């Protein structure tokens, strides 16, 4: 029986996390992994206890919603809150990280970024990842997993 690769497995986790997003503009999820173990996950949404875009709308300034914390940042902050080191970890994200998340990823010591979809890929972010020797790899994700075919393989 075929099973998911590690990249597919962790990307699937990121897509599952994205389903919790409260952003109306883009649904994003992120999973931080160290030694093939999930250490944190995040999705884009408002601060704890704050109003959510899906309830009250986006708070737009200069074309950006400032109400939302990005999935990557939420995952990194979860590590900080619970004392989980990120140095040497990897992050799986449903979309290419923005420039601010790129800088946070580098500062957190994350050594690899795996993303499923291109989204406004910033050339400076790419330059920063290269300079910091952070591996960046596109891992396309097919959200459809055929459980029927898996069952058929068992029988």
């Amino acid at each position: 029986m075929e099973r998911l690769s590690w990249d597919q497995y962790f990307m699937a986790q990121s897509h599952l996390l994205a389903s919790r997003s409260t952003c109306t503009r883009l649904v994003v999820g992120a999973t931080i992994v160290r030694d093939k173990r999930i250490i944190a996950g995040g999705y884009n949404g408002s601060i704890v206890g704050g109003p959510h875009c899906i309830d009250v709308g986006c708070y737009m300034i200069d074309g950006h919603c400032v109400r939302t914390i990005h999935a990557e940042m939420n995952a990194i902050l979860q590590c900080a809150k619970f004392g989980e080191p990120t140095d040497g970890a990897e992050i799986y994200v449903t979309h290419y990280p923005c420039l601010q998340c790129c800088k946070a990823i580098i500062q957190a010591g994350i050594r690899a970024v795996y993303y499923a979809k291109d989204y406004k890929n910033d050339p400076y972010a790419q330059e920063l990842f290269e300079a910091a020797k952070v591996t960046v790899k596109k891992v396309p994700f097919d959200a459809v997993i055929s459980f029927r075919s898996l069952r058929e393989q068992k029988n």
Side-chain angles (χ1 to χ4, degrees):
M1 174 172 72
E2 284 188 47
R3 63 182 186 163
L4 296 174
S5 70
W6 285 112
D7 284 347
Q8 291 169 328
Y9 173 73
F10 294 128
M11 194 59 74
Q13 295 292 326
S14 293
H15 279 82
L16 183 60
L17 283 160
S19 70
R20 291 274 309 148
S21 172
T22 60
C23 179
T24 58
R25 299 179 70 216
L26 186 67
V27 173
V28 181
T31 304
I32 300 177
V33 174
R34 191 177 52 250
D35 300 323
K36 303 281 187 258
R37 184 178 64 89
I38 296 170
I39 59 172
Y43 52 87
N44 54 335
S46 299
I47 61 168
V48 174
H52 294 282
C53 297
I54 58 173
D55 298 325
V56 297
C58 293
Y59 185 179
M60 301 296 291
I61 297 178
D62 295 328
H64 298 282
C65 178
V66 296
R67 186 183 315 281
T68 299
I69 299 173
H70 291 187
E72 303 93 323
M73 193 65 72
N74 267 329
I76 291 168
L77 291 171
Q78 188 179 83
C79 286
K81 183 176 182 177
F82 295 106
E84 189 66 48
T86 54
D87 196 36
E90 303 169 319
I91 190 166
Y92 289 78
V93 191
T94 57
H95 295 75
Y96 191 88
C98 73
L99 180 58
Q100 296 306 317
C101 287
C102 159
K103 292 189 275 186
I105 288 166
I106 292 167
Q107 287 299 95
I110 293 172
R111 65 178 171 84
V113 175
Y114 302 98
Y115 70 100
K117 297 177 188 171
D118 292 303
Y119 182 74
K120 299 182 181 180
N121 299 26
D122 189 295
Y124 186 51
Q126 293 172 337
E127 185 180 320
L128 290 175
F129 280 140
E130 287 174 19
K133 294 181 176 34
V134 172
T135 300
V136 179
K137 180 181 173 189
K138 187 172 185 177
V139 177
F141 179 74
D142 181 4
V144 178
I145 299 172
S146 176
F147 292 104
R148 184 175 67 187
S149 66
L150 290 175
R151 273 183 278 155
E152 289 170 357
Q153 290 175 8
K154 283 184 175 183
N155 296 330

